[in-house]
Amino acid sequence: MSRKYVIAGNWKMNKTSEEGAELAKDIVLAVGQQAEVEVVVCPPFTLLESVSKVLEGSNIKLGGQNMHPAVSGAYTGEISAEMLRNHFSSYVILGHSERRAYFDETDNFVNQKVKVALENQLRPILCVGETLEEREAEKTLDVVKTQLVDGLVGVSAEQTGSVVIAYEPVWAIGTGKVATPEEAQVVHAFIRQTLAELYDSAHADKIRILYGGSMKASNARELLAQEDIDGGLIGGAALESNSFIDLVKVAIDQD
Ligand code: PGA
């Protein structure tokens, strides 16, 4: 089964418009015309405009880091699917562990966003993953299954073509502690099996499942070599052009 790799940069709360445009420019110059690997950048909302201008005419896609499920209204500080579309976003990261941990986002709330994103032609990158405590208590698969199943309630088999899953063990995010390729593969295979139970194996086989958590060019090769790892959601290594471009090149080579 050939699935096109996705390498998505999650810039989190970093960079000004000018800095973001510079970074995007470097990425476009280096890997903006190739189509073997799908490259996505997810800057903060305030950079969407400047970054989208730089990405114009390239194959690099733009994504948001979050959104609110309502169409519009009194939700101070929030941003809607339509606003993301309006700024040329085609992806949106949903249910990132930082949103779950610091902003108390529940599976139900994440699920509402997933459905609204799909209704608005945005591809959700649905994040799942266990904490260190949960891993040590051997609850990893239970936690991941609940986040996955509850996050996809009401999503049809046809819509799964637009869904990307990101497995991000919380203990590996920003810590430099990367899951071993074997540890990650176990969870990725379990996610695919759960998707096959929810839908069917034909649909499950097409869904890209990204790994996230201290992924960088030096460890990407082994991770991407795993059967069910279809790319990466990259935090720290996405903030600097060379480290991100090198990682994309590893994915291109592996293709
Ligand atoms: P990291 O972050 O690459 O810095 O570990 C990944 C993420 O949080 O998406």
Side-chain angles (χ1 to χ4, degrees):
M1 180 74 223
S2 70
R3 291 176 291 265
K4 190 188 266 203
Y5 286 135
V6 178
I7 300 292
N10 174 8
W11 296 1
K12 306 194 181 183
M13 196 172 73
N14 293 290
K15 303 204 181 286
T16 61
S17 294
E18 293 74 22
E19 290 165 351
E22 275 305 305
L23 175 54
K25 224 172 270 172
D26 290 344
I27 297 169
V28 166
L29 277 176
V31 291
Q33 299 308 323
Q34 60 78 38
E36 290 145 85
V37 169
E38 200 167 339
V39 179
V40 185
V41 293
C42 302
F45 298 140
T46 49
L47 278 66
L48 287 173
E49 183 154 359
S50 65
V51 172
S52 74
K53 282 189 182 135
V54 176
L55 301 186
E56 226 180 295
S58 80
N59 285 333
I60 314 287
K61 311 260 173 55
L62 188 63
Q65 296 175 14
N66 181 34
M67 56 163 245
H68 194 277
V71 173
S72 63
Y75 300 99
T76 302
E78 292 293 325
I79 179 166
S80 70
E82 191 192 355
M83 292 170 186
L84 285 175
R85 289 289 309 160
N86 193 239
H87 279 286
F88 310 103
S89 302
S90 39
Y91 281 88
V92 60
I93 299 170
L94 296 175
H96 190 281
S97 62
E98 286 149 18
R99 302 290 321 169
R100 294 176 189 265
Y102 307 143
F103 303 97
D104 295 325
E105 291 201 7
T106 61
D107 287 326
N108 178 274
F109 192 45
V110 173
N111 173 243
Q112 290 176 44
K113 299 181 190 208
V114 168
K115 286 188 288 194
V116 171
L118 288 167
E119 284 159 17
N120 285 277
Q121 287 75 52
L122 281 170
R123 294 166 174 261
I125 301 177
L126 170 61
C127 301
V128 300
E130 82 288 1
T131 61
L132 184 57
E133 212 179 10
E134 289 161 343
R135 172 160 283 259
E136 284 172 348
E138 294 179 11
K139 289 191 189 143
T140 298
L141 300 185
D142 287 344
V143 168
V144 165
K145 184 167 189 170
T146 302
Q147 290 174 340
L148 187 67
V149 172
D150 292 2
L152 292 173
V153 171
V155 173
S156 69
E158 289 64 42
Q159 287 176 311
T160 61
S162 300
V163 172
V164 172
I165 307 294
Y167 167 57
E168 299 205 305
V170 178
W171 48 271
I173 296 178
T175 58
K177 272 188 225 153
V178 63
T180 66
E182 295 73 23
E183 276 172 338
Q185 168 58 22
V186 167
V187 183
H188 280 239
F190 173 77
I191 289 172
R192 199 171 308 285
Q193 180 200 320
T194 306
L195 291 168
E197 286 162 16
L198 276 178
Y199 301 100
D200 54 52
S201 54
H203 284 93
D205 280 349
K206 290 192 185 125
I207 300 174
R208 273 88 56 93
I209 308 173
L210 316 185
Y211 169 81
S214 300
M215 191 168 175
K216 45 185 187 283
S218 60
N219 58 31
R221 199 174 303 278
E222 278 188 293
L223 285 161
L224 293 174
Q226 302 298 313
E227 195 179 335
D228 292 292
I229 301 186
D230 309 314
L233 182 55
I234 319 300
L239 291 177
E240 197 266 314
S241 55
N242 287 336
S243 58
F244 188 69
I245 292 162
D246 286 352
L247 214 161
V248 173
K249 287 184 175 163
V250 170
I252 294 171
D253 283 352
Q254 198 103 346
D255 192 39

